[in-house]
Amino acid sequence: MILVTGATGFVGAALVRRLATDRSFNGVVAAVRRKAESLPQGVQQVPVGDLSPTTDWSTTLQGIDAVVHCAARVHVMQDDATDPSHAYREVNVSGTLNLARQAADAGVRRFVFVSSIKVNGESTQPGHAFTADDVPAPLDPYGVSKFEAELGLREIELQTGMEVVIVRPPLVYGPGVKANFASMMLWVARGIPLPLGAIQNARSMVALDNLVDLLVTCVKHPVAAGQTFLVSDGEDVSTTELLRRTAQAMGKKAFLLPIPAFVLEWGAALLGKRAVAQRLCGSLQLDINKTRQLLDWTPPVSLDEGLRRAAEGFSQ
């Protein structure tokens, strides 16, 4: 029996749908904030309220063999919390470790934690990708909270013997994606000219179906125990190329103006938008060779197929 937290979220909902069709599991329990109607038939849902340091998981964890922990306070661009670091730690660290301790006490065999590539850092130099074994260097409160949760989980693993598997994804896209990727698709759909036609960076992303496939693998594969994995589509693209291929997937044409990256970065700095420029112009590459080799895993969906599926699920 598998417990999925954050089961109505972007990743959690897709994972629940996949697990519900996998006959190698005895069943799926979906932990949700409040009762939902969008879960597949046959999935047992358990309303648990907000993820907190005091959430009681004892009843929910009965008979559970593995937990995939997707629930989190997610990264937001404009955080209106009075103390963002405290808000992230309350949910992503204390809430996660509270669940993990109770899972170990309940006899759960494996705990799969959806972390973030932000644990590694915010950017890479072209051709020098992050690896799963790099020294972590998180910079923002979200990344720090995920790293602290990872450290706590490894301690629980040592103390209890519960197997912990950590997965650090980059930007995840797919049907129903929101935030920056949805905005990009909206710009393309409306034919808005964008000054992003001369960006020569390299960025890794992961299609929702690829991330879900790896999470299922991490639940099953014996070698995954105790490991940290990076995940991506296995193909890195520039911002310019991403826009062109997204437009193609949507049956549109991208109108891209060839403005040099340094001009965009200069303008963004004047407007106080350095972080935005860094994401558009900077590189963030992931090396997934460890994931491929240890798990004998290959991303089942190509970048172009992932973009096509995202386009099918897009609505203006």
Side-chain angles (χ1 to χ4, degrees):
M1 187 80 76
I2 310 298
L3 172 66
V4 178
T5 70
T8 57
F10 180 53
V11 174
L15 177 61
V16 167
R17 289 193 296 270
R18 166 71 182 272
L19 291 171
T21 64
D22 193 326
R23 296 187 178 182
S24 62
F25 298 109
N26 293 326
V28 184
V29 177
V32 297
R33 281 186 177 181
R34 59 191 64 84
K35 192 168 183 179
E37 298 180 357
S38 58
L39 297 176
Q41 187 175 5
V43 172
Q44 178 185 348
Q45 58 175 300
V46 180
V48 295
D50 292 329
L51 179 66
S52 80
T54 60
T55 302
D56 183 358
W57 295 91
S58 56
T59 302
T60 307
L61 288 164
Q62 291 180 9
I64 296 298
D65 183 57
V67 173
V68 183
H69 185 41
C70 301
R73 186 176 194 269
V74 299
H75 179 253
V76 293
M77 293 299 301
Q78 301 295 331
D79 199 331
D80 57 3
T82 304
D83 185 348
S85 292
H86 174 75
Y88 281 118
R89 284 192 171 104
E90 188 79 357
V91 176
N92 297 347
V93 184
S94 300
T96 294
L97 300 185
N98 171 55
L99 168 60
R101 291 188 192 98
Q102 292 186 52
D105 290 343
V108 170
R109 174 184 59 85
R110 181 168 292 186
F111 191 100
V112 180
F113 178 55
V114 181
S115 185
S116 169
I117 195 57
K118 282 178 168 286
V119 170
N120 286 69
E122 295 291 330
S123 63
T124 58
Q125 293 300 313
H128 297 276
F130 284 137
T131 74
D133 299 318
D134 286 341
V135 176
L139 296 178
D140 69 1
Y142 173 73
V144 170
S145 72
K146 286 292 192 177
F147 178 48
E148 291 177 351
E150 289 187 12
L151 292 176
L153 288 171
R154 291 299 182 207
E155 283 295 318
I156 292 171
E157 183 178 41
L158 287 173
Q159 294 165 4
T160 68
M162 181 177 69
E163 299 169 354
V164 171
V165 186
I166 294 168
V167 177
R168 296 179 189 159
L171 183 150
V172 185
Y173 67 96
V177 67
K178 300 185 185 302
N180 293 335
F181 203 92
S183 297
M184 180 194 74
M185 296 180 76
L186 183 61
W187 298 336
V188 170
R190 294 181 175 176
I192 297 173
L194 301 171
L196 300 170
I199 310 300
Q200 299 179 5
N201 58 349
R203 297 191 73 88
S204 300
M205 305 185 302
V206 63
L208 180 61
D209 289 331
N210 285 338
L211 175 57
V212 165
D213 190 77
L214 180 64
L215 293 175
V216 173
T217 301
C218 287
V219 171
K220 295 180 177 182
H221 204 300
V223 178
Q227 298 291 343
T228 297
F229 297 109
L230 304 189
V231 59
S232 77
D233 293 333
E235 178 183 0
D236 301 338
V237 290
S238 68
T239 300
T240 300
E241 183 66 12
L242 173 62
L243 284 162
R244 287 175 177 155
R245 289 165 74 168
T246 300
Q248 184 177 16
M250 299 176 72
K252 302 286 185 178
K253 179 174 180 175
F255 295 92
L256 305 177
L257 307 177
I259 308 298
F262 76 88
V263 174
L264 294 176
E265 292 169 345
W266 174 78
L270 289 179
L271 297 172
K273 301 290 185 181
R274 287 182 184 272
V276 175
Q278 195 284 320
R279 280 188 299 278
L280 291 172
C281 302
S283 292
L284 180 64
Q285 294 176 273
L286 281 63
D287 180 341
I288 64 169
N289 282 330
K290 175 183 175 181
T291 309
R292 290 179 184 271
Q293 293 168 6
L294 282 186
L295 302 178
D296 191 24
W297 181 82
T298 299
V301 174
S302 69
L303 172 64
D304 287 323
E305 175 61 17
L307 292 174
R308 187 191 67 77
R309 294 181 184 183
E312 282 187 348
F314 174 75
S315 59
Q316 298 188 42

